[in-house]
Amino acid sequence: MTKLTKKEIKVSKVIGNFLIKNKIYFAGIDFVQEKLIGDINVTSPTGIAAYKRLSNINLAKTFWNNV
């Protein structure tokens, strides 16, 4: 697992605010060398599986239990 840089956190917050304004509450984004790459995945964020595998925390379950 890796920590986000300050730049990645800043970009994530901007994207997160945009998504929330558009009633999208669950999405995945990818960074490579502090740059957002690809698309914003709102249908199948695959990072959630990797997160569970690395941390043993089920974010999907947490998300749906708190919607």
Side-chain angles (χ1 to χ4, degrees), residues 15-29 39-52 57-67:
I15 292 169
N17 288 333
F18 172 81
L19 293 172
I20 289 169
K21 286 179 186 176
N22 287 279
K23 299 183 180 180
I24 297 171
Y25 303 103
F26 192 80
I29 59 175
D39 56 357
I40 298 171
N41 193 333
V42 297
T43 59
S44 180
T46 56
I48 198 163
Y51 188 86
K52 183 173 189 259
I57 296 170
N58 188 337
L59 289 177
K61 183 177 180 180
T62 301
F63 173 80
W64 288 110
N65 285 341
N66 290 286
V67 171

